[in-house]
Amino acid sequence: MQKIRASITAIGACLPDYILDNTELEKMVDTNNEWILSRTGISERRILKGEGMGTSEMGAGAVRMLLEKRGITAEDIDLIICATTTPDHQFPATANIIADKVGIKNAFGFDINAACSGFLFSLTTASQFIETGKYKKVIVVGGDKMSSIVDYTDRTTCVLFGDAAAAVLLEPDTEGFGIQDSILKSDGAGRTFLRQKAGGSAYPASMETVMNREHYVYQEGQTVFKFAVKGMADVSAEIMERNNLTGDDVAWLVPHQANKRIIDATRDRMGVSNDKVMMNIQRYGNTTNATIPLCLFEWEKQLKKGDNIILAAFGGGFTWGATYIKWAYDTK
Ligand code: UT7
């Protein structure tokens, strides 16, 4: 028997109905469709509306779909991890709230915050629990309500982000499929270039922080761009090299969707053709922790058992990483 690996066996997603397109943004800030499309690749994004609606609302929707698709109940789940940068509250963990909403009663849950790399960090963490042999069904949710921390008077950031959640189920595999390898990196020296300055223990919320608009996403775009292009491409090349994969061996690249130009640079460095790159940034923008599982969800029917898939991300912190998966199932 081969070693136990964690393989993805089901995917669910939840997208809010409201579509915020570039035309509507043109009325809100000094921007235009041509600039947004050419610099980022984004045409529209989804926004979660409604009083009291947080990330858990979308996370719960994604988990319900996943359970139904796999034909299991909430009580079968052993562990739920939520990757999010926009938790419902500072505490308790959004994973707990999702579990409660869905009826997951026999599991423990916690959140992971690694900004846009959070889904990869969570997937790798979750896979360790499966590999021990003790945990059989682990859910990883990637979700963000970015609209809750986006300043819709700041044209440099408000065009970039959207809301969404998607979730994957991990189960043990002993036939060689599933998560093969992961490289995760972080460098706190990059923390000032992309962050939400206030609201934590260093700068708690006050009248002043609100007046200074310090509860919104702050980004030095060009600096983040330079680090992202290098970080995502380097780590993707590294994981291919150490697993003896060439561009031809890779069936799919699933990149974090922050900027089409960053994705193109990673694709070129890996030597994979454009038709192997999952890209839906044009419809959803940057949904932070949801981008990668949302791509897997949308491309699920095209994935074949045995496909070599590389997931890659870069985000605030800085954090970045790549994961190599051998896909475990064909979708009927
Ligand atoms: O997911 C987490 C990681 N995040 C990322 O990976 C994002 C990385 N950064 C980026 O994707 C890009 O830097 C941005 C898309 C954020 C910005 O694109 P850029 O090509 O780096 O533009 P820039 O910041 O250099 O700005 C160029 C010009 C500036 O005007 P001036 O100074 O040349 O007159 C900006 O003020 O574009 C202006 N500008 C805009 N113009 C129209 C900035 N935002 C807008 C806008 N509409 N929305």
Side-chain angles (χ1 to χ4, degrees):
M1 194 172 86
Q2 292 203 27
K3 83 179 265 249
I4 301 171
R5 289 194 167 86
S7 68
I8 294 174
T9 54
I11 319 173
C14 181
L15 285 158
D17 295 331
Y18 190 85
I19 296 173
L20 172 60
D21 62 18
N22 290 352
T23 314
E24 188 175 352
L25 278 167
E26 283 176 357
K27 294 178 197 137
M28 295 160 67
V29 288
D30 180 16
T31 190
N32 57 78
N33 180 51
E34 201 279 325
W35 190 97
I36 304 172
L37 256 184
S38 62
R39 300 285 178 128
T40 70
I42 304 168
S43 294
E44 55 187 50
R45 56 303 280 141
R46 300 297 179 98
I47 304 295
L48 180 64
K49 303 258 185 185
E51 186 80 27
M53 295 288 174
T55 296
S56 72
E57 200 61 28
M58 297 181 290
V63 171
R64 280 190 204 101
M65 182 191 283
L66 169 160
L67 294 173
E68 200 185 316
K69 276 171 77 173
R70 186 76 181 110
I72 57 173
T73 70
E75 270 125 29
D76 295 327
I77 303 304
D78 305 314
L79 164 63
I80 174 165
I81 299 176
C82 181
T84 187
T85 308
T86 51
D88 281 23
H89 309 282
Q90 282 267 18
F91 72 94
T94 299
N96 281 34
I97 303 171
I98 295 171
D100 185 53
K101 286 183 173 173
V102 173
I104 294 175
K105 294 185 196 322
N106 302 319
F108 70 105
F110 57 90
D111 291 355
I112 286 182
N113 180 356
C116 294
S117 309
F119 181 76
L120 288 195
F121 282 38
S122 301
L123 195 66
T124 306
T125 303
S127 71
Q128 312 301 305
F129 285 90
I130 295 279
E131 286 173 19
T132 63
K134 200 172 159 198
Y135 297 85
K136 308 290 184 206
K137 289 186 169 52
V138 177
I139 288 177
V140 180
V141 183
D144 273 297
K145 184 185 173 186
M146 292 305 292
S147 61
S148 66
I149 56 166
V150 163
D151 181 353
Y152 287 97
T153 66
D154 175 10
R155 71 172 182 173
T156 68
T157 51
C158 74
V159 301
L160 304 174
F161 296 99
D163 303 338
V168 300
L169 177 68
L170 293 180
E171 295 186 76
D173 180 285
T174 51
E175 290 170 18
F177 300 104
I179 297 171
Q180 308 289 314
D181 194 12
S182 252
I183 302 174
L184 305 177
K185 305 199 181 219
S186 49
D187 180 1
R191 68 190 180 279
T192 56
F193 302 116
L194 175 51
R195 63 174 168 161
Q196 182 182 0
K197 188 174 178 189
S201 55
Y203 297 100
S206 66
M207 288 291 278
E208 201 187 339
T209 61
V210 172
M211 297 296 283
N212 291 341
R213 312 183 81 79
E214 288 171 340
H215 295 270
Y216 292 121
V217 174
Y218 168 81
Q219 175 170 248
E220 290 177 29
Q222 275 189 20
T223 307
V224 178
F225 186 88
K226 280 184 207 135
F227 278 95
V229 165
K230 183 165 169 22
M232 217 160 103
D234 280 356
V235 80
S236 303
E238 189 182 338
I239 205 162
M240 284 173 70
E241 203 175 304
R242 86 177 187 192
N243 289 281
N244 300 314
L245 296 170
T246 67
D248 290 340
D249 300 322
V250 175
W252 295 101
L253 164 64
V254 192
H256 171 54
Q257 314 276 307
N259 189 316
K260 183 181 181 303
R261 291 180 289 146
I262 299 172
I263 296 172
D264 291 347
T266 304
R267 173 203 66 199
D268 292 347
R269 178 75 181 283
M270 290 170 67
V272 299
S273 54
N274 208 31
D275 55 327
K276 294 179 172 179
V277 182
M278 295 189 195
M279 186 143 58
N280 55 16
I281 189 172
Q282 60 277 15
R283 281 176 289 132
Y284 307 125
N286 182 351
T287 56
T288 305
N289 284 280
T291 58
I292 289 175
L294 189 56
C295 279
L296 290 173
F297 173 78
E298 292 207 315
W299 269 263
E300 184 186 17
K301 289 197 176 79
Q302 294 179 58
L303 304 180
K304 293 191 185 62
K305 192 169 179 175
D307 276 356
N308 292 317
I309 302 180
I310 304 289
L311 319 178
F314 186 93
F318 292 131
T319 56
W320 65 107
T323 298
Y324 164 36
I325 296 178
K326 208 171 251 305
W327 197 248
Y329 63 94
D330 295 313
T331 306
K332 286 157 202 97

Coordinates of all heavy atoms in Angstrom, one line a residue, residues 14 48 52-64 80 82 84 86-89 92-102 111 141 143-145 164-165:
C14 N -19.9 29.2 -3.9 CA -21.1 30.1 -3.6 C -20.7 31.5 -4.1 O -19.7 32.1 -3.6 CB -21.4 30.2 -2.2 SG -22.8 31.2 -1.8
L48 N -21.5 40.7 -2.3 CA -22.5 40.1 -1.3 C -23.2 41.3 -0.7 O -22.5 42.1 0.0 CB -21.8 39.3 -0.3 CG -22.7 38.6 0.8 CD1 -23.7 37.6 0.1 CD2 -21.9 37.9 1.8
G52 N -25.8 42.1 7.8 CA -25.4 41.0 8.6 C -24.8 39.8 7.8 O -24.5 38.7 8.3
M53 N -24.6 40.0 6.5 CA -24.1 38.9 5.6 C -22.6 39.0 5.6 O -22.0 40.0 5.2 CB -24.6 39.1 4.2 CG -26.1 38.9 4.0 SD -26.5 37.2 4.2 CE -28.2 37.2 4.2
G54 N -21.9 37.9 6.1 CA -20.5 37.9 6.1 C -19.9 36.7 5.3 O -20.7 36.1 4.6
T55 N -18.6 36.5 5.4 CA -18.0 35.5 4.7 C -18.6 34.1 4.9 O -18.7 33.3 4.0 CB -16.5 35.5 5.0 OG1 -15.9 36.7 4.6 CG2 -15.7 34.3 4.4
S56 N -19.1 33.9 6.2 CA -19.6 32.6 6.5 C -20.8 32.2 5.7 O -21.1 31.0 5.5 CB -20.0 32.5 8.0 OG -21.1 33.3 8.3
E57 N -21.6 33.3 5.3 CA -22.8 33.0 4.5 C -22.4 32.3 3.2 O -23.0 31.3 2.8 CB -23.5 34.4 4.2 CG -24.9 34.3 3.8 CD -25.8 33.7 4.9 OE1 -25.4 33.8 6.1 OE2 -26.8 33.0 4.5
M58 N -21.4 32.8 2.5 CA -21.0 32.2 1.3 C -20.2 30.9 1.6 O -20.4 29.9 0.8 CB -20.0 33.2 0.5 CG -20.7 34.5 0.1 SD -19.5 35.6 -0.7 CE -18.4 36.0 0.6
G59 N -19.5 30.8 2.6 CA -18.7 29.6 3.0 C -19.7 28.5 3.3 O -19.5 27.3 2.8
A60 N -20.8 28.8 4.0 CA -21.8 27.7 4.3 C -22.5 27.3 3.0 O -22.7 26.1 2.8 CB -22.9 28.3 5.2
G61 N -22.7 28.2 2.1 CA -23.3 27.8 0.8 C -22.4 26.8 0.0 O -22.9 25.8 -0.6
A62 N -21.1 27.1 0.0 CA -20.2 26.3 -0.7 C -20.1 24.9 -0.1 O -20.0 23.9 -0.8 CB -18.8 27.0 -0.7
V63 N -20.1 24.9 1.3 CA -20.0 23.6 2.0 C -21.3 22.7 1.7 O -21.2 21.5 1.5 CB -19.8 23.8 3.5 CG1 -19.9 22.5 4.3 CG2 -18.4 24.4 3.7
R64 N -22.4 23.4 1.8 CA -23.7 22.6 1.5 C -23.6 22.0 0.1 O -24.0 20.8 0.0 CB -24.9 23.6 1.6 CG -25.3 23.8 3.0 CD -26.7 24.6 3.1 NE -26.8 25.3 4.3 CZ -26.6 26.6 4.5 NH1 -26.3 27.3 3.4 NH2 -26.7 27.2 5.6
I80 N -12.9 21.2 9.8 CA -13.2 22.3 8.8 C -12.2 23.4 9.1 O -12.1 23.9 10.2 CB -14.6 22.7 8.8 CG1 -14.8 23.9 7.9 CG2 -15.2 23.0 10.2 CD1 -16.3 24.1 7.5
C82 N -11.1 27.2 7.6 CA -11.6 28.3 6.7 C -10.4 29.3 6.5 O -9.8 29.8 7.4 CB -12.7 29.1 7.4 SG -13.3 30.4 6.3
T84 N -9.5 32.7 5.3 CA -10.1 34.0 5.1 C -9.3 35.1 5.6 O -8.6 35.0 6.6 CB -11.6 34.0 5.6 OG1 -12.2 35.2 5.2 CG2 -11.6 33.9 7.2
T86 N -11.2 38.1 5.6 CA -12.3 38.9 6.1 C -13.3 38.0 6.9 O -14.4 37.7 6.4 CB -13.1 39.4 4.8 OG1 -13.3 38.4 3.9 CG2 -12.2 40.5 4.1
P87 N -12.8 37.5 8.1 CA -13.7 36.7 8.9 C -14.9 37.5 9.3 O -14.9 38.7 9.3 CB -12.8 36.4 10.1 CG -11.8 37.5 10.2 CD -11.5 37.9 8.7
D88 N -16.0 36.8 9.6 CA -17.2 37.4 10.1 C -16.9 38.4 11.2 O -17.4 39.5 11.3 CB -18.2 36.4 10.6 CG -18.9 35.7 9.4 OD1 -18.4 35.7 8.3 OD2 -20.1 35.2 9.6
H89 N -16.0 37.9 12.2 CA -15.6 38.7 13.4 C -14.2 38.4 13.6 O -13.6 37.4 13.1 CB -16.4 38.2 14.6 CG -17.9 38.1 14.4 ND1 -18.7 39.2 14.4 CD2 -18.7 37.1 14.1 CE1 -20.0 38.9 14.2 NE2 -20.0 37.6 14.0
P92 N -15.4 34.7 17.2 CA -14.9 33.4 17.0 C -14.5 33.1 15.5 O -14.9 34.0 14.6 CB -16.0 32.5 17.4 CG -17.3 33.3 17.1 CD -16.9 34.7 17.4
A93 N -13.9 32.0 15.3 CA -13.4 31.7 13.9 C -14.6 31.5 13.0 O -15.7 31.0 13.4 CB -12.6 30.4 14.0
T94 N -14.5 31.9 11.8 CA -15.5 31.8 10.8 C -15.8 30.3 10.5 O -16.9 29.9 10.2 CB -15.1 32.6 9.5 OG1 -15.0 34.0 9.9 CG2 -16.1 32.5 8.4
A95 N -14.8 29.5 10.6 CA -14.9 28.0 10.4 C -16.0 27.5 11.3 O -16.9 26.7 11.0 CB -13.6 27.3 10.6
N96 N -16.0 28.0 12.6 CA -17.0 27.6 13.6 C -18.4 28.0 13.2 O -19.4 27.3 13.4 CB -16.7 28.2 14.9 CG -15.6 27.4 15.7 OD1 -14.7 26.9 15.0 ND2 -15.7 27.4 17.0
I97 N -18.5 29.2 12.6 CA -19.8 29.7 12.3 C -20.3 29.0 11.1 O -21.5 28.6 11.0 CB -19.7 31.3 11.9 CG1 -19.1 32.0 13.2 CG2 -21.0 31.8 11.5 CD1 -18.7 33.4 12.9
I98 N -19.5 28.7 10.1 CA -19.9 27.9 9.0 C -20.4 26.5 9.4 O -21.4 26.0 9.0 CB -18.7 27.7 7.9 CG1 -18.4 29.1 7.3 CG2 -19.1 26.7 6.8 CD1 -17.1 29.1 6.5
A99 N -19.6 25.9 10.3 CA -19.9 24.6 10.8 C -21.3 24.6 11.5 O -22.2 23.7 11.2 CB -18.9 24.1 11.8
D100 N -21.6 25.6 12.3 CA -22.9 25.7 12.9 C -24.0 25.9 11.9 O -25.1 25.3 12.0 CB -22.8 26.9 13.9 CG -24.1 27.0 14.7 OD1 -24.5 26.0 15.3 OD2 -24.8 28.1 14.7
K101 N -23.8 26.8 10.9 CA -24.8 27.0 9.9 C -25.1 25.8 9.1 O -26.3 25.6 8.7 CB -24.4 28.1 8.9 CG -24.4 29.5 9.6 CD -24.1 30.6 8.6 CE -24.3 32.0 9.2 NZ -23.8 33.1 8.5
V102 N -24.1 24.9 8.9 CA -24.3 23.8 8.0 C -24.7 22.5 8.8 O -25.3 21.6 8.3 CB -23.0 23.5 7.3 CG1 -23.1 22.2 6.5 CG2 -22.7 24.7 6.3
D111 N -9.6 29.0 11.7 CA -9.4 29.8 10.5 C -7.8 29.9 10.3 O -7.1 29.8 11.2 CB -9.9 31.2 10.7 CG -11.4 31.3 10.7 OD1 -12.0 30.3 10.5 OD2 -11.9 32.4 11.0
V141 N -12.4 25.6 3.3 CA -13.1 26.6 2.7 C -12.2 27.8 2.4 O -11.4 28.2 3.2 CB -14.3 27.2 3.6 CG1 -15.1 28.2 2.9 CG2 -15.1 26.0 4.1
G143 N -12.7 31.7 1.4 CA -13.8 32.7 1.2 C -13.4 34.0 1.7 O -12.7 34.2 2.7
D144 N -13.9 35.0 1.0 CA -13.7 36.4 1.4 C -14.9 37.3 0.9 O -15.3 37.2 -0.2 CB -12.4 37.0 0.9 CG -11.3 36.6 1.8 OD1 -11.3 37.1 3.0 OD2 -10.4 35.9 1.5
K145 N -15.3 38.2 1.8 CA -16.2 39.3 1.5 C -15.3 40.5 1.4 O -15.2 41.3 2.3 CB -17.3 39.4 2.5 CG -18.3 40.5 2.1 CD -19.3 40.7 3.2 CE -20.2 41.9 2.9 NZ -21.1 42.2 4.0
A164 N -16.6 36.0 -2.8 CA -16.9 34.6 -3.2 C -16.4 33.7 -2.2 O -15.6 34.0 -1.3 CB -16.3 34.3 -4.6
A165 N -16.9 32.4 -2.2 CA -16.3 31.4 -1.4 C -16.4 30.1 -2.2 O -17.3 29.9 -3.0 CB -17.1 31.2 -0.1

